[in-house]
Amino acid sequence: VRGVGYRLDTPVEPLETTPTPETDRDPAAVADYRRAIECVDAMAHGKALALLAGVVAIEPDWVAARTLLAWTHMWAGELDQARAALDTALEMSDRLSDPDQMTLRAIHASFAGDAVAAIARFELALEANPTGYWLRVNLMGLYWLVGREDSAAALLDQIDELRPGFYLNSWQRGFHELLSNGDLAAAREQFAEVARLHPELPLPLAEVIPILQVWETGDRGLALEMMDGLIAARIGGLPPVGADQLLTFRSRLLADLGDIEGAGDDQWRAADLYGPNDSWSLYHALESGLLAGAAPGQPGVRALERVAAGGSSLLTAQAHGWLGVAAAV
């Protein structure tokens, strides 16, 4: 039995390797919690939040449900509600095992914008829970956030092994190809696979694919027109993660067109989707600063100064480094 051992002469029974069911909890709450997990997997955050609100009303001491509620609020862009839900879960964390406590602390550091602590804690949580899919996804996002592209790429194969065929695997690979490798053709193929596996995904990836195809052929002017039309039609109805991604696409396209100021403006628009000291807000501010350049007194320096003052994170260290370069020049 894989992960357990060999069957010898004496009959043996496989060990239970999946979480034991919540037999002591209200069956309706357990059913809705499992439905909420499915909704989170499908990025149907509104449905998941409604289900989880009912779950914690019935089972107020269920820490896992409150933790999932915090994550879902965060993914929906409701950061104040996310922090409140996480604070409640942390107050109850003495009931958890050490690995679960470490995961909660990793989430807390991520919410607080402390990428260094969040990465260290997620890595420890992974040591204790080597099959954690979402641990890897969140750690991968933090690696990208702080420029550790190789570490992020190493997790891509692992998430494929953990959940073969899951549409988010192709999503992660698509953004890796686009943002890390600059390979538009490979990114388009990965996003097409996402759209095939999950056509109801509440993000307009299916509509981005033809834009990438035009962009790939070199007609960037037409690609920009198509992107502007898509943003005008869809951005208002998207969760922050979707709006962020559309603006990131547009920023990259404008940079290819040589419109550095416009590319930086889109990074600021993406930053404004989050709280001022949120990790992703600081990331976009850093990108804006690097696009604008580090000339003394210019917007790029002001953006870098904002990141440098933002909090404890590798992003602040990067900002200080680029400010040092600007001062030396």
Side-chain angles (χ1 to χ4, degrees):
V1 180
R2 182 175 178 180
V4 177
Y6 295 94
R7 188 177 298 280
L8 303 176
D9 289 340
T10 302
V12 296
E13 294 296 328
L15 295 174
E16 178 62 61
T17 57
T18 57
T20 56
E22 295 279 348
T23 54
D24 58 336
R25 299 202 178 274
D26 187 294
V30 173
D32 280 352
Y33 177 69
R34 290 172 178 166
R35 288 174 58 205
I37 292 173
E38 293 173 358
C39 289
V40 168
D41 280 354
M43 302 198 74
H45 299 137
K47 293 179 181 178
L49 287 171
L51 288 165
L52 289 167
V55 170
V56 298
I58 298 172
E59 293 284 353
D61 64 342
W62 196 352
V63 180
R66 291 190 178 276
T67 304
L68 183 60
L69 179 63
W71 267 122
T72 310
H73 275 304
M74 186 190 72
W75 289 323
E78 300 171 354
L79 298 182
D80 289 341
Q81 296 94 318
R83 291 189 179 95
L86 181 61
D87 287 343
T88 302
L90 282 169
E91 291 171 4
M92 303 162 66
S93 65
D94 58 342
R95 309 174 194 178
L96 300 177
S97 65
D98 288 343
D100 289 335
Q101 283 189 348
M102 184 59 67
T103 300
L104 263 181
R105 293 188 182 114
I107 297 169
H108 187 270
S110 180
F111 280 15
D114 189 345
V116 177
I119 287 171
R121 291 169 184 174
F122 272 123
E123 288 174 340
L124 286 172
L126 264 181
E127 289 180 12
N129 181 16
T131 60
Y133 178 88
W134 284 106
L135 289 177
R136 280 176 170 76
V137 169
N138 288 294
L139 181 58
M140 184 162 47
L142 287 163
Y143 282 153
W144 275 328
L145 193 67
V146 300
R148 290 176 59 179
E149 304 285 351
D150 291 344
S151 297
L155 294 177
L156 288 170
D157 292 335
Q158 296 177 23
I159 65 172
D160 276 335
E161 293 171 1
L162 287 170
R163 297 188 70 171
F166 189 40
Y167 77 95
L168 280 179
N169 302 349
S170 293
W171 181 340
Q172 304 290 349
R173 286 192 178 277
F175 278 100
H176 175 69
E177 296 293 353
L178 178 72
L179 301 177
S180 300
N181 299 334
D183 189 334
L184 296 175
R188 176 169 54 82
E189 291 175 5
Q190 293 293 340
F191 290 137
E193 181 67 3
V194 176
R196 185 187 70 80
L197 291 169
H198 199 324
E200 301 304 317
L201 187 71
L203 297 174
L205 282 182
E207 297 164 76
V208 169
I209 295 164
I211 299 174
L212 284 172
Q213 192 164 13
V214 172
W215 186 353
E216 181 190 342
T217 65
D219 193 344
R220 293 180 175 86
L222 177 57
L224 181 60
E225 289 180 19
M226 296 169 69
M227 180 63 73
D228 286 344
L230 176 57
I231 287 176
R234 296 293 303 277
I235 198 167
L238 293 173
V241 63
D244 182 335
Q245 287 164 357
L246 285 188
L247 291 169
T248 298
F249 276 117
R250 189 174 188 273
S251 176
R252 174 65 183 270
L253 176 53
L254 287 174
D256 278 0
L257 284 164
D259 184 355
I260 302 303
E261 182 177 354
D265 287 344
D266 278 347
Q267 292 290 340
W268 280 117
R269 290 172 66 190
D272 288 341
L273 296 168
Y274 308 96
N277 291 326
D278 182 86
S279 293
W280 286 106
S281 179
L282 295 175
Y283 167 79
H284 287 296
L286 179 66
E287 289 291 308
S288 177
L290 296 180
L291 283 165
Q298 295 301 308
V301 167
R302 292 195 292 273
L304 293 173
E305 288 173 343
R306 170 187 164 178
V307 180
S312 174
S313 167
L314 284 179
L315 292 174
T316 65
Q318 291 175 337
H320 279 296
W322 284 107
L323 286 169
V325 171
V329 172

